[in-house]
Coordinates of all heavy atoms in Angstrom, one line a residue:
L1 N 80.7 90.5 96.1 CA 82.0 91.0 95.3 C 81.9 90.4 93.9 O 82.2 91.1 92.9 CB 83.3 90.5 96.1 CG 84.6 90.7 95.3 CD1 84.9 92.2 95.0 CD2 85.8 90.1 96.1
D2 N 81.6 89.1 93.8 CA 81.7 88.4 92.5 C 80.6 89.1 91.6 O 80.8 89.4 90.3 CB 81.2 87.0 92.7 CG 81.3 86.2 91.4 OD1 82.4 86.0 90.9 OD2 80.2 85.8 90.9
K3 N 79.4 89.5 92.1 CA 78.4 90.2 91.3 C 78.9 91.5 90.8 O 78.6 91.9 89.7 CB 77.1 90.3 92.1 CG 75.9 90.9 91.4 CD 74.7 90.8 92.3 CE 73.5 91.5 91.5 NZ 72.3 91.6 92.4
K4 N 79.5 92.2 91.7 CA 79.9 93.6 91.5 C 81.1 93.6 90.4 O 81.2 94.4 89.5 CB 80.4 94.3 92.7 CG 79.3 94.8 93.6 CD 79.8 95.5 94.7 CE 78.6 96.2 95.5 NZ 77.9 97.2 94.8
L5 N 82.0 92.6 90.5 CA 83.0 92.3 89.5 C 82.4 92.1 88.1 O 82.7 92.6 87.0 CB 83.9 91.2 89.8 CG 85.0 91.6 90.9 CD1 85.6 90.2 91.4 CD2 85.9 92.6 90.4
K6 N 81.3 91.1 88.0 CA 80.7 90.8 86.7 C 79.9 92.0 86.2 O 80.0 92.1 84.9 CB 79.8 89.6 87.0 CG 80.6 88.3 87.2 CD 79.6 87.1 87.5 CE 80.4 85.9 87.7 NZ 79.6 84.8 88.1
N7 N 79.4 92.8 87.0 CA 78.6 94.0 86.6 C 79.4 95.2 86.4 O 78.9 96.3 86.0 CB 77.4 94.3 87.6 CG 76.4 93.2 87.6 OD1 76.3 92.3 86.7 ND2 75.7 93.1 88.7
N8 N 80.7 95.1 86.8 CA 81.6 96.3 86.7 C 81.0 97.5 87.6 O 81.0 98.6 87.2 CB 81.9 96.8 85.4 CG 82.5 95.8 84.6 OD1 83.6 95.2 85.0 ND2 82.2 95.5 83.3
S9 N 80.4 97.1 88.8 CA 79.8 98.2 89.7 C 80.6 98.4 91.0 O 79.9 98.7 91.9 CB 78.4 97.9 89.9 OG 78.3 96.6 90.5
F10 N 81.8 98.1 91.0 CA 82.6 98.2 92.3 C 83.2 99.5 92.6 O 83.7 99.8 93.6 CB 83.7 97.1 92.3 CG 84.6 97.2 91.1 CD1 85.7 98.0 91.2 CD2 84.4 96.5 90.0 CE1 86.5 98.1 90.1 CE2 85.3 96.5 89.0 CZ 86.4 97.3 88.9
I11 N 83.0 100.5 91.6 CA 83.5 101.9 91.9 C 82.5 102.8 92.6 O 81.4 102.9 92.0 CB 84.0 102.6 90.5 CG1 85.1 101.6 89.9 CG2 84.5 103.9 90.8 CD1 86.4 101.6 90.7
P12 N 82.7 103.3 93.7 CA 81.7 104.2 94.4 C 81.6 105.5 93.7 O 82.5 105.9 92.9 CB 82.2 104.3 95.8 CG 83.7 104.2 95.7 CD 83.9 103.2 94.5
R13 N 80.6 106.3 94.0 CA 80.3 107.7 93.5 C 81.4 108.6 94.0 O 81.8 109.6 93.2 CB 78.9 108.1 93.6 CG 77.9 107.3 92.9 CD 76.5 107.8 93.2 NE 75.5 107.1 92.4 CZ 74.2 107.3 92.5 NH1 73.8 108.3 93.3 NH2 73.3 106.6 91.8
R14 N 81.7 108.5 95.2 CA 82.6 109.5 95.8 C 83.7 108.8 96.7 O 83.5 107.7 97.1 CB 81.8 110.4 96.8 CG 80.8 111.3 96.1 CD 80.1 112.2 97.1 NE 81.0 113.1 97.8 CZ 80.6 113.8 98.8 NH1 79.4 113.9 99.3 NH2 81.6 114.7 99.3
H15 N 84.8 109.5 96.8 CA 86.0 109.0 97.6 C 86.3 110.1 98.7 O 86.2 111.2 98.4 CB 87.2 108.8 96.7 CG 87.0 107.6 95.8 ND1 86.7 107.7 94.4 CD2 87.2 106.2 96.1 CE1 86.6 106.5 94.0 NE2 86.9 105.6 94.9
N16 N 86.7 109.6 99.8 CA 87.3 110.5 100.8 C 88.7 110.7 100.5 O 89.5 109.9 100.1 CB 87.1 109.8 102.2 CG 85.7 109.6 102.6 OD1 84.9 110.5 102.3 ND2 85.4 108.6 103.4
T17 N 89.1 112.0 100.8 CA 90.5 112.3 100.6 C 91.2 112.8 101.9 O 90.5 113.2 102.8 CB 90.7 113.4 99.5 OG1 89.9 114.6 99.9 CG2 90.1 113.0 98.2
K18 N 92.5 112.8 101.9 CA 93.2 113.2 103.2 C 94.5 113.9 102.7 O 95.2 113.4 101.8 CB 93.5 112.1 104.1 CG 94.2 112.4 105.4 CD 94.5 111.1 106.1 CE 95.2 111.4 107.4 NZ 95.5 110.1 108.2
I19 N 94.8 115.0 103.3 CA 96.1 115.7 103.0 C 97.1 115.4 104.1 O 96.9 115.5 105.3 CB 95.9 117.2 102.9 CG1 94.8 117.6 102.0 CG2 97.2 118.0 102.7 CD1 95.2 117.3 100.5
I20 N 98.2 114.8 103.6 CA 99.3 114.5 104.6 C 100.6 115.3 104.3 O 100.8 115.7 103.2 CB 99.7 113.0 104.6 CG1 100.3 112.5 103.2 CG2 98.4 112.1 105.0 CD1 100.8 111.2 103.2
Q21 N 101.4 115.4 105.3 CA 102.7 116.2 105.1 C 103.8 115.2 105.4 O 103.8 114.5 106.5 CB 102.8 117.4 106.1 CG 104.1 118.1 105.8 CD 104.1 119.5 106.6 OE1 103.0 119.9 107.0 NE2 105.2 120.0 106.9
E22 N 104.7 115.1 104.5 CA 105.8 114.2 104.7 C 106.8 114.6 105.8 O 107.1 115.9 105.8 CB 106.6 114.0 103.4 CG 105.8 113.3 102.3 CD 106.6 113.0 101.0 OE1 107.7 113.6 100.9 OE2 106.1 112.2 100.2
N23 N 107.3 113.7 106.5 CA 108.3 114.1 107.6 C 109.5 114.7 107.1 O 110.3 115.4 107.6 CB 108.5 112.9 108.5 CG 107.3 112.5 109.3 OD1 106.5 113.4 109.7 ND2 107.1 111.3 109.6
S24 N 110.0 114.1 105.9 CA 111.3 114.4 105.4 C 111.3 115.7 104.8 O 112.4 116.3 104.5 CB 111.7 113.3 104.4 OG 110.8 113.3 103.3
C25 N 110.2 116.4 104.4 CA 110.2 117.7 103.8 C 108.9 118.4 104.1 O 108.0 117.8 104.8 CB 110.5 117.6 102.3 SG 109.2 116.6 101.5
K26 N 108.8 119.5 103.6 CA 107.5 120.3 103.8 C 106.5 120.0 102.8 O 105.4 120.6 102.7 CB 107.8 121.8 103.8 CG 108.7 122.3 105.0 CD 109.0 123.7 104.9 CE 109.8 124.2 106.1 NZ 110.2 125.6 106.1
K27 N 106.8 119.0 101.9 CA 105.8 118.7 100.8 C 104.5 118.0 101.3 O 104.5 117.3 102.2 CB 106.5 117.7 99.9 CG 105.7 117.4 98.6 CD 106.3 116.2 97.8 CE 107.7 116.6 97.4 NZ 108.3 115.4 96.6
T28 N 103.4 118.4 100.8 CA 102.1 117.8 101.2 C 101.6 116.9 100.0 O 101.9 117.3 98.8 CB 101.0 118.9 101.5 OG1 100.8 119.8 100.4 CG2 101.4 119.8 102.7
R29 N 100.9 115.9 100.4 CA 100.3 115.0 99.4 C 98.9 114.8 99.7 O 98.5 114.6 100.8 CB 101.1 113.7 99.4 CG 102.6 113.9 98.9 CD 103.2 112.4 98.8 NE 104.6 112.5 98.4 CZ 105.0 112.5 97.2 NH1 104.2 112.5 96.2 NH2 106.3 112.5 97.0
K30 N 98.0 114.6 98.5 CA 96.6 114.3 98.7 C 96.5 112.8 98.5 O 96.8 112.3 97.4 CB 95.9 115.1 97.6 CG 94.4 114.9 97.7 CD 93.7 115.6 96.5 CE 92.2 115.4 96.6 NZ 91.5 116.1 95.5

């Protein structure tokens, strides 16, 4: 972790996403 912080290399190339629906309304969020 220390090395990645010093090299600014802690951001991956891809991220996983998920679509959720709020219980209080029909709105969906990514």
Side-chain angles (χ1 to χ4, degrees):
L1 171 63
D2 184 71
K3 184 178 179 181
K4 285 184 174 291
L5 283 169
K6 288 175 178 176
N7 297 338
N8 294 315
S9 59
F10 54 85
I11 301 294
R13 292 181 180 179
R14 294 182 62 185
H15 290 96
N16 295 326
T17 59
K18 182 181 180 182
I19 304 296
I20 63 167
Q21 184 171 336
E22 294 184 345
N23 292 328
S24 58
C25 60
K26 295 180 180 179
K27 187 191 297 182
T28 59
R29 293 185 183 275
K30 182 181 178 183

